[in-house]
Amino acid sequence: SPFVARPLATGAVKVGPAKGTVIVVGGGSMGPEIFKAFIDAAGGPDALILDVPNAGGGDSVSPNAGQPWRNAGAKNVVVLFTKDRKIADSDSFTAIIKKAGGVWFEGGRQFHIVQDYGGTKTEREIMALVERGGVVGGSSAGATILGDYMVRGAPSNDNMIMRYPGYERAFGYLRNVGIDQHVVARSRLPDLADSIIPRYPNLLGISEDEGTAWVVRGDTGRIIGRNKAFVYNGKDATDSGSPFLTLHPGDRYDLNARRVLSRAIQRTPVKLDLINSMFGK
């Protein structure tokens, strides 16, 4: 069926979770500030954190699954994994999600997550976890699954295909949002503006480079990490000559109003006529 965005929520919060947190990471290695943000949002070091490695596409779980979270101080990390949709739809498999404070989707290809869990009790219980105040997060493929529109969702290893019928719906913790990742490292910066927004003109596009995260509570996203994040189809003016607006660590953005709330550092745009006058053009 053709993609139709989830309606915005009817309460005070429209795009993000009313109580929980969504943490969107653009791939690459994560700094301690991103690990800390997720563990804190899950309820601290003693909270139960579920690590979901399905995007990797493997038939079994790597012995290292979840280890980065233990290294970062999380004491209760459990790997949640099945490729059997009947099991994913069972009460016995999903019982642990009811006890968890956070769910983390690892990287790989996002279509695997949809094939294994889409439309099952697992998907519904993870949404319930966020709605009761928990955190859901992910990096790379695990970032894109957090949006409503699933960018690069083709069921193949070709991650250049921006839209693929039948694989356009992600899990929608951020309503009416499409999420891209690795955008600077893989030269993908204009892709949301070129391929997705023209087809879905009401969709908000967000992206983030490697090692960079959106930490979203309610409708407010805060940027943390080491690089930049980007907004497509917002209300503010875009960067000069670009179809997106750049955000930096510490900046805050309203995903419903689609405007910058605050900048960590005031950056004055350099006036082209000033440069030209300096060079006598």
Side-chain angles (χ1 to χ4, degrees), residues 193-208:
D194 292 348
S195 303
I196 304 299
I197 302 303
R199 187 163 293 267
Y200 300 108
N202 295 321
L203 195 73
L204 177 68
I206 69 171
S207 70
E208 52 299 309

Side-chain angles (χ1 to χ4, degrees), residues 2-279:
F3 171 77
V4 177
R6 289 164 173 84
L8 297 183
T10 52
V13 173
K14 305 295 183 192
V15 175
K19 292 181 182 169
T21 307
V22 181
I23 298 184
V24 184
V25 183
S29 61
M30 302 194 308
E33 69 285 353
I34 299 179
F35 283 102
K36 182 179 183 335
F38 184 86
I39 292 170
D40 287 353
D46 293 319
L48 175 60
I49 288 173
L50 305 180
D51 182 272
V52 180
N54 292 66
D59 290 328
S60 60
V61 176
S62 150
N64 296 327
Q67 193 57 43
W69 293 103
R70 296 183 193 102
N71 296 348
K75 294 174 188 161
N76 291 306
V77 182
V78 173
V79 176
L80 189 75
F81 178 79
T82 183
K83 293 181 80 69
D84 184 331
R85 289 180 54 83
K86 281 205 183 71
I87 293 174
D89 204 31
S90 70
D91 290 335
S92 55
F93 184 78
T94 55
I96 194 168
I97 306 173
K98 296 179 194 290
K99 302 181 183 131
V103 171
W104 182 262
F105 292 102
E106 289 189 26
R109 294 289 291 123
Q110 44 270 36
F111 75 88
H112 289 298
I113 307 173
V114 171
Q115 285 181 344
D116 296 348
Y117 299 124
T120 68
K121 276 183 180 159
T122 296
E123 183 188 352
R124 291 194 292 280
E125 285 299 339
I126 297 171
M127 182 64 82
L129 175 149
V130 178
E131 287 172 349
R132 68 174 175 261
V135 58
V136 64
S139 185
S140 191
T144 294
I145 198 68
L146 305 174
D148 200 355
Y149 184 86
M150 191 162 74
V151 183
R152 305 180 197 275
S156 74
N157 285 326
D158 184 351
N159 61 19
M160 299 306 288
I161 302 167
M162 289 297 283
R163 34 176 300 278
Y164 194 90
Y167 285 86
E168 292 183 279
R169 177 170 287 282
F171 286 173
Y173 310 106
L174 301 179
R175 297 173 188 86
N176 197 30
V177 173
I179 300 171
D180 205 359
Q181 17 76 9
H182 296 284
V183 284
V184 177
R186 297 187 185 175
S187 305
R188 296 174 167 182
L189 263 174
D191 293 5
L192 277 172
D194 292 348
S195 303
I196 304 299
I197 302 303
R199 187 163 293 267
Y200 300 108
N202 295 321
L203 195 73
L204 177 68
I206 69 171
S207 70
E208 52 299 309
D209 195 26
E210 295 184 353
T212 310
W214 287 80
V215 178
V216 181
R217 286 206 172 97
D219 288 330
T220 301
R222 184 170 55 92
I223 311 304
I224 66 172
R226 63 173 187 267
N227 288 321
K228 298 169 185 165
F230 307 89
V231 175
Y232 307 74
N233 212 23
K235 299 278 169 53
D236 297 304
T238 58
D239 298 0
S240 177
S242 298
F244 50 79
L245 173 73
T246 300
L247 300 175
H248 300 266
D251 292 353
R252 290 164 66 249
Y253 190 83
D254 185 324
L255 295 163
N256 180 42
R258 299 192 181 189
R259 291 194 178 277
V260 173
L261 285 169
S262 64
R263 293 279 195 181
I265 300 167
Q266 289 308 123
R267 290 175 168 84
T268 312
V270 179
K271 296 283 190 288
L272 201 57
D273 50 1
L274 178 69
I275 295 172
N276 287 343
S277 70
M278 283 166 63
F279 288 97

